[in-house]
Amino acid sequence: MPIRSVVRPTYLVLCSAIFLLPVGCKTSQPTTSQSRVQTGQGVYQYKEEDPTLKPFYSDRQGVTGRNGMVASAHPEASQVGLNILKAGGNAVDAAVAMQFALAVVYPGAGNIGGGGFMVYRDKSGKASTLDYREKAPGKATPNMYLDSAGNVRAGGLSMSGHLASGVPGSVAGMVQAHQKFGKLTWPQVLQPAVDLAEKGFALTERDATGLNRIKDDLLKYNPGKTYFMHPEGRAWAKGDLLVQTDLGSTLRRIQTQGRDGFYGGETARLVAAEMQRGGGLISEADLANYQAIWREPIREGYKNFNVITMPPTSSGGIALVQLLRYIEPFPIRRWGWNRDSTAQVMIEAERRVYADRAKFLGDPDFVKVPSAQLMDRTYLQNQWATFNFSKATDSKTIHGGSLPGYESLETTHFSVVDRDGNAVSITTTLNGGYGSRVVVGGAGFFMNNEMDDFSIKPGTPNMYGLIGNQANAIAPNKRMLSSMTPTILERDGKLFMVVGTPGGSTIMTSVFQTVVNVIEHGMTMQQSVNALKFHHQWLPDKTIFENGAFTEATKQALIGRGYVLEQLTNTLGRMDCVLVRPDGSYEGASDPRADNTAMGF
Ligand code: DON
């Protein structure tokens, strides 16, 4: 089917606003209260052509500020970041304080027992990235999760329990980030987290539900311990105070001794003892040897934007650039938001990107990742040659895994911009919600289950249904491949957007859509976060979508071309983003799908 036949004639009228107006277009009056939002970038207008379609998860509005903006998964952590900025701290000070605060108030994903990535762009435009991803312990082996016949051993050992953990990187990352860019003192940026742990904080409804949900695993992996249990033995409820004394002491050791407060001394001894107790591999030597790594950012152009993003060990940065470049030749702005042709080219881009990920990506300190070639436009054109508007491309018939139950899976992203325009984009994780579910005895924090992000057996899907090969095989001291995509965009060389999300394998596609919604469809930052999303990852060969992301007509058009669609009962993405408007003010946008909160001043 030629392109024209799927494009409705109305799309051809510039500024005719089926779903959108191009950036810069003037518009007439809104048709509904939801339909017109002043973006500062343009105006996005949704005409209710299909009254069954509710394309936004909520009508939450963005937060405005001129002097600083933070957005994170938890109101307490955002408050910490805002206070640090108001106290004269810069974006890195606020981000470090928020990482530690999240370790206290958001134990499902905020962490000191996990790892993450930071993308930083200073006010002059200089950018750097910090890889504080976990590493396989020194005693890890390629077959550690396989039996003698080469089959994956029962029990989900890469996902729960002591053997699932990589060597944590978060504390090293924060120390190195602060040493290089921080302005306030180290004890100052640690203090809010210490206070939250020792004095406690009131649980949100969601915090309480999360802890109640993992009670059985807490008992299973931490026998005889009462971590994260209500002191009276009852279920947690909204408003209960969670006090974490052991975690407070661990944070104080980090506060007074810096890196050695975690990777040496008492904390390291406690981690190693915990590992020994449960048959884990991490040793005191593994901890002492851990270093975060400064890496050259990916900095690639898309139209008049620059995408500054995470290189490997994340697959996210390369993926995001590939995705944008695949859609670059298509008039998706004219076609309209999530209309059939728009969705089709985005899905086909996603299919190709995830196939590359599985084949080529891994820890660049261990395997040669052909980054430049993968983002090369000629390469992408060749990969696109099999695209056909009339029919879905076939993903290879490898057995894909089932997609995750997203609600139980957590990572967390936060974004910070300070008064001067220094910007930080951090995604950090334990991998699954509450990681391995092992709490380090005496130290009070969850360990990650990041080993599952390795390809534990070639072709066997991980918990996100992602398939990998040799490039992401386990090796001692190697970092496992990630999908986390903390990203900063420039527009015409100036700071424009800070963006990122959790979501396992869906991270890149959620970031992709959030960027495209703003720069192609003219949404505000918050509208783009609110907008419903979809996802394809090559294998399994299906497109999952949030209820309302597609009209009935779009669904039928896609199904008619051979696409398998699956409507989710849960959601995609938990974005925390900041946009710089043309007048220099900031729009903070936090995801209405959870407790995410933006604060600015
Ligand atoms: O690094 C990764 O790609 C995964 N460990 C991220 C996990 C995640 O986002 C879970 N949250 N929904």
Side-chain angles (χ1 to χ4, degrees), residues 333-457:
R333 178 181 308 188
R334 181 156 56 76
W335 286 343
W337 176 82
N338 280 18
R339 301 312 291 257
D340 47 10
S341 300
T342 306
Q344 190 175 5
V345 296
M346 291 172 82
I347 290 167
E348 291 299 343
E350 291 170 7
R351 186 196 307 282
R352 286 159 177 77
V353 163
Y354 281 82
D356 278 349
R357 180 194 195 276
K359 189 164 173 187
F360 295 113
L361 294 211
D363 182 347
D365 298 340
F366 283 72
V367 292
K368 183 146 180 34
V369 181
S371 305
Q373 290 99 307
L374 288 170
M375 294 184 287
D376 179 75
R377 285 189 170 87
T378 310
Y379 168 78
L380 297 172
Q381 265 165 21
N382 289 337
Q383 292 297 101
W384 196 255
T386 48
F387 174 77
N388 180 347
F389 255 112
S390 62
K391 198 168 177 347
T393 309
D394 256 350
S395 287
K396 295 188 188 72
T397 48
I398 301 170
H399 235 57
S402 57
L403 284 167
Y406 295 93
E407 268 161 1
S408 65
L409 301 169
E410 294 291 344
T411 287
T412 195
H413 177 85
F414 53 102
S415 297
V416 185
V417 183
D418 65 22
R419 175 183 282 129
D420 297 326
N422 301 302
V424 175
S425 185
I426 283 184
T427 315
T428 179
T429 189
L430 291 164
N431 193 18
Y434 307 93
S436 67
R437 311 276 162 99
V438 172
V439 183
V440 177
F445 62 89
F446 281 104
M447 289 295 289
N448 66 83
N449 60 343
E450 217 75 61
M451 290 297 283
D452 191 63
D453 273 351
F454 278 117
S455 173
I456 63 169
K457 182 184 174 185

Side-chain angles (χ1 to χ4, degrees), residues 140 199 229 256 373 511 526:
K199 296 179 187 153
M229 303 282 177
T256 51
Q373 290 99 307
V511 170
Q526 185 67 55

Side-chain angles (χ1 to χ4, degrees), residues 73 111 173 194 349 375 393 408 555 583 592:
N111 68 81
V194 171
M375 294 184 287
T393 309
S408 65
K555 278 189 250 176
D583 69 357

Side-chain angles (χ1 to χ4, degrees), residues 494-574:
K494 297 208 178 73
L495 178 66
F496 179 64
M497 188 191 293
V498 187
V499 57
T501 185
S505 58
T506 68
I507 290 174
M508 297 93 107
T509 56
S510 289
V511 170
F512 173 47
Q513 288 166 88
T514 306
V515 169
V516 165
N517 288 344
V518 175
I519 67 184
E520 292 293 349
H521 298 305
M523 291 191 194
T524 63
M525 193 74 256
Q526 185 67 55
Q527 266 189 315
S528 177
V529 169
N530 296 349
L532 296 167
K533 304 202 166 59
F534 63 89
H535 169 78
H536 190 288
Q537 61 179 46
W538 175 51
L539 293 171
D541 188 356
K542 62 183 173 188
T543 303
I544 55 174
F545 64 98
E546 291 185 297
N547 185 12
F550 299 130
T551 62
E552 267 318 303
T554 298
K555 278 189 250 176
Q556 290 316 317
L558 290 171
I559 290 166
R561 284 168 225 162
Y563 291 90
V564 177
L565 303 183
E566 185 179 302
Q567 183 177 307
L568 293 170
T569 50
N570 42 27
T571 57
L572 288 172
R574 302 265 173 86

